[in-house]
Amino acid sequence: QGAEHRKKWLPEWKKEGHCPLTLLEFFGDFSMKHHNSNNENNIGSQGDLAQLQPTIDTSNKLVERLSRGCDSSCGLQVALQNLRHPCLRFMFLDDFKDGLEKMLNHFGSAMSHEIGALLNSSHHRNKSPYSGTVINQINNPEIMSRLKKILAQDIKLYSEAKKLYAKQWAKPLMSCNQGY
């Protein structure tokens, strides 16, 4: 539900203990807001929307983070180059267990207790009472079509990272100070 330390949450949301934004709103698309009077996620007045729109811009944040803020013309290529660096290993949340097992195999006993605890944990499962709302949005073709447009570069990065994943873990780990 976008709860990352609640940094950009409105005070009312903090009080209620959840973020009422839809997936589209989380990624900065407020165009569908207030079109449905039965919208259970109605966040309030147009003033609320005006307050949020400049602060919430999460589109292509994965590319931005992995390219250290490169502009959109080169960000994807820089992010991919960074993923290929031999000092980096990455995991996917949609296959978290595999990533943890790779860490355990790669780093051995130094991290075995912590990784073992995570492998046997259910902490990474979404147990939010709002998860049904998110699933309904994921199953909505209009919403998913709009999200795919908003997140086009992040989706491309994810697809390319999936192709790199096994190769990256098979390489010897090097210092980030070494060239390659």
Side-chain angles (χ1 to χ4, degrees):
Q1 292 289 316
E4 293 80 10
H5 305 290
R6 303 178 179 188
K7 289 178 186 175
K8 296 184 179 181
W9 283 26
L10 295 175
E12 307 90 79
W13 304 354
K14 290 178 183 177
K15 184 178 177 184
E16 292 173 15
H18 81 279
C19 171
L21 296 178
T22 65
L23 292 173
L24 284 173
E25 291 163 349
F26 180 79
F27 288 105
D29 181 344
F30 290 86
S31 60
M32 293 180 74
K33 189 46 103 189
H34 302 292
H35 290 276
N36 178 357
S37 60
N38 296 323
N39 185 350
E40 67 186 59
N41 292 324
N42 192 333
I43 64 170
S45 70
Q46 290 297 327
D48 288 342
L49 295 177
Q51 180 179 353
L52 288 172
Q53 284 179 325
T55 62
I56 298 179
D57 176 16
T58 53
S59 60
N60 299 312
K61 287 297 185 190
L62 186 58
V63 168
E64 186 178 307
R65 286 179 189 258
L66 290 173
S67 67
R68 298 186 182 204
C70 267
D71 65 29
S72 59
S73 66
C74 68
L76 178 60
Q77 292 308 314
V78 171
L80 285 168
Q81 181 180 337
N82 287 338
L83 283 181
R84 289 184 190 106
H85 198 284
C87 75
L88 183 71
R89 298 298 177 265
F90 55 90
M91 302 185 329
F92 293 97
L93 288 176
D94 58 350
D95 199 0
F96 194 59
K97 184 177 179 183
D98 181 71
L100 288 174
E101 288 170 349
K102 285 187 179 340
M103 282 183 68
L104 185 59
N105 291 335
H106 196 78
F107 296 111
S109 61
M111 298 179 70
S112 62
H113 178 72
E114 290 81 6
I115 294 172
L118 284 170
L119 280 168
N120 296 318
S121 168
S122 62
H123 287 107
H124 56 277
R125 292 189 185 97
N126 184 354
K127 297 176 186 171
S128 166
Y130 306 102
S131 62
T133 302
V134 173
I135 291 168
N136 288 338
Q137 293 173 49
I138 290 170
N139 291 328
N140 181 316
E142 182 182 359
I143 290 173
M144 293 312 295
S145 174
R146 290 171 90 154
L147 280 175
K148 286 177 183 177
K149 288 177 186 168
I150 292 168
L151 301 171
Q153 285 197 353
D154 280 356
I155 291 169
K156 178 73 173 164
L157 176 64
Y158 179 86
S159 175
E160 293 298 316
K162 280 289 196 177
K163 295 174 190 174
L164 293 171
Y165 182 67
K167 293 176 196 171
Q168 193 66 12
W169 279 96
K171 293 180 189 176
L173 187 63
M174 295 173 58
S175 165
C176 288
N177 295 326
Q178 292 176 298
Y180 69 106

